[in-house]
Amino acid sequence: MTQTADEPASAEGDVLHKLSFLDRFLPVWIIVAMAAGLGLGSVVPGLASVLDAVKIGQVSLPIALGLLLMMYPVLAKVRYDKLDTVTRDTRTLVLSLVLNWIVGPALMFALAWLLLPDLPEYRTGLIIVGLARCIAMVIIWNDLACGDREAAAVLVALNSVFQVIMFGVLGWFYLDLLPGWLGLDTASISFSPWEIALAVVIFLGIPLAAGYLSRRIGERTRGREWYEGKFLPKIGPVALYGLLFTIVVLFALQGDNITSRPLDVARIALPLLAYFAIMWGGGYLLGKASGLSYARTTTLAFTAAGNNFELAIAVAIGVFGVTSGQALAGVVGPLIEVPVLVALVYVSLWLRKRWHANASRT
């Protein structure tokens, strides 16, 4: 049920217990998958040649299937029919578009160059994370923080479609054109903008079409209640399994690089922490200053801070390879994002109490 700023504050309960068992311990599963991958890499030295036996483009078939399975359940959750309601609240729509497609990518670009000037592969991976805007996972954080569910559904649907069109263009701009204008050295990174566009078409376009058709056919034949109450819970864990499979393979192939440079993970985490804090705080302050309700402000903040790390990992692997630093940076993304956004849910609920307290005194 959608919450509004006019509703009285109530006991929120334990946020973590509102998450599913799999979502609640997502950082733990990621760490376990990392460890399993490192162990697998040490006992199966010929893994890379086995995975490369059959490829889809530049990606081995097993990894490609894992990436597609990772993306499909996420996009099957999107309510595409809500796109026709985007004009009802122009203010929220415009603010979200500015935060997601102008501020977010620019901020990650700045943080990556500022904090990782000597690590071009990780820097590029983080910029790709900044380009992959939030989709379905953000709905969980928004609901836990009592945000506006319908507004979140609209913004998620809009971002899903917009990414197919703009991801390749923005990738070319932030990874090639803008560094050239600023005189930054990108000689150590070689890629084609068309490779990014192709990766987006394969790993976002295919599951996006499948997700749209699933919802349309499922709701027409069995109804929305069945689709969201029965079908989505069954396929939901598939996204996590696909993510964990990808992480296991990634760390199995990257074992030597990772164990020899453990501080690199900490350096990747630093700009991510700064990014999530700045985007969430900036979105919240902007919504408050614009006169939005608590629910809409919360939705604006979480949709600005969240990222589609599944797509970022898929693009990084599709363009630069599974053993690349770009892919490793993408994997660190959810490891940092999940606990940070859970913490921000608690911050948001605390601000909700103050919001109602201030409203009652005026």
Side-chain angles (χ1 to χ4, degrees), residues 22 51 189 331:
L22 292 175
L51 291 175
I189 298 296
V331 169

Side-chain angles (χ1 to χ4, degrees), residues 22-34:
L22 292 175
D23 290 332
R24 190 186 314 165
F25 296 104
L26 181 56
V28 176
W29 309 140
I30 293 175
I31 292 172
V32 171
M34 290 176 175

